[in-house]
Amino acid sequence: MDHYKVLGLHRSATKSEVKEAFRRLAVQFHPDKHSQSSSQVRDSAAHRFKQISEAYQILIDDRKRADYNVRRSTAQPHGGGGYAGSKYHYNNRSSSSYNSYDGGARRRSSSGVSMLEVAIRFMTTRAFLLNVAFAGCLLGGAKMIDGGGERMWKRWNTGKSFEEAMDSIEKAKSRQRRGPEDDD
C-alpha cells in the first residue's frame, strides 16, 4: 500500500496537507457514517478507513515518514524479495549491478542501492549501536582492570620493581627454611 496514494498526496506534501487529506477522507469513510449501509459497503468503508488511518500515522510522524520513504525508495521491483516483512509497494526502478558514473567502483545491489549505503544503514541501526557500545564498555573495563593491577602494585610497592619484589620474597622464603638463628 502506498500511503501517499491512499491519502491522495505527493511525496513532498507538508504536515498540514497530510492532516487536511486525512480529515477529508476520514469523514468520508468513517464507519459511523456507514452504519446503516449494506454489510459490503460497511466493510469496504471500514477497510478504507483503516488504510487512511495507517497512512496518516506514518506520514504525520517525521521518523516514521522518513523510514517509510527510505524503505519505499530502496524496495526491489515487482518479482523481487524486497524488505523482509515489508508491507509497502515496490518501486519500479531499473537496477544495475554497477554505478555507471564511477566506472563500477561502487558495487550496487539488485535494488539500485550501493553496498556502502546498505552498510551505513546497518551500522546505524539501534541494535548495532547498542552492541558496539556494549563491546566498548567491555573493552574499556578490561583496560581499566589491566591498568589497575599495575597501579595497585606501584601503590603498595613504591620504589620496587616486580623483579626486586620477587627477589625479596625468595630471600624471605630461604630465611624461613634456614630458621631465624642462621641469619648471622
Side-chain angles (χ1 to χ4, degrees):
M1 168 175 65
D2 183 352
H3 294 313
Y4 292 104
K5 285 183 182 177
V6 167
L7 294 177
L9 299 170
H10 294 285
R11 284 182 64 124
S12 60
T14 64
K15 279 189 171 186
S16 61
E17 291 172 331
V18 171
K19 284 181 185 178
E20 180 59 36
F22 170 72
R23 288 182 184 145
R24 180 177 33 81
L25 292 170
V27 167
Q28 183 180 351
F29 291 102
H30 197 278
D32 289 346
K33 185 173 182 177
H34 298 281
S35 62
Q36 302 299 321
S37 302
S38 68
S39 65
Q40 185 180 13
V41 171
R42 195 170 46 239
D43 291 343
S44 175
H47 177 69
R48 184 86 165 106
F49 184 76
K50 286 180 184 178
Q51 288 180 330
I52 293 165
S53 297
E54 181 183 347
Y56 175 74
Q57 292 297 321
I58 299 292
L59 297 181
I60 202 68
D61 184 283
D62 291 333
R63 283 186 176 173
K64 290 179 183 178
R65 185 174 182 174
D67 182 53
Y68 171 73
N69 288 338
V70 167
R71 288 178 184 229
R72 192 172 185 292
S73 67
T74 60
Q76 293 181 358
H78 290 289
Y83 276 121
S86 176
K87 57 187 172 187
Y88 306 115
H89 276 286
Y90 298 124
N91 232 357
N92 285 328
R93 270 170 52 177
S94 64
S95 59
S96 61
S97 16
Y98 292 100
N99 241 353
S100 58
Y101 65 84
D102 63 358
R106 283 185 8 178
R107 175 96 175 142
R108 290 251 177 213
S109 67
S110 60
S111 65
V113 179
S114 74
M115 299 305 268
L116 177 64
E117 290 171 302
V118 171
I120 289 172
R121 284 186 189 141
F122 172 73
M123 289 188 295
T124 56
T125 60
R126 181 177 293 155
F128 179 81
L129 293 174
L130 286 173
N131 286 334
V132 167
F134 181 68
C137 289
L138 287 177
L139 290 173
K143 180 68 176 163
M144 286 176 57
I145 290 170
D146 187 43
E150 186 178 332
R151 282 192 296 272
M152 290 294 289
W153 174 262
K154 287 180 180 177
R155 181 176 177 200
W156 293 106
N157 300 298
T158 57
K160 288 185 179 179
S161 69
F162 181 75
E163 291 79 17
E164 291 172 342
M166 291 306 292
D167 287 340
S168 66
I169 290 171
E170 288 299 321
K171 286 179 186 176
K173 284 182 182 178
S174 66
R175 274 189 236 145
Q176 284 180 351
R177 282 188 226 131
R178 287 186 292 165
E181 64 275 351
D182 295 337
D183 265 347
D184 294 335

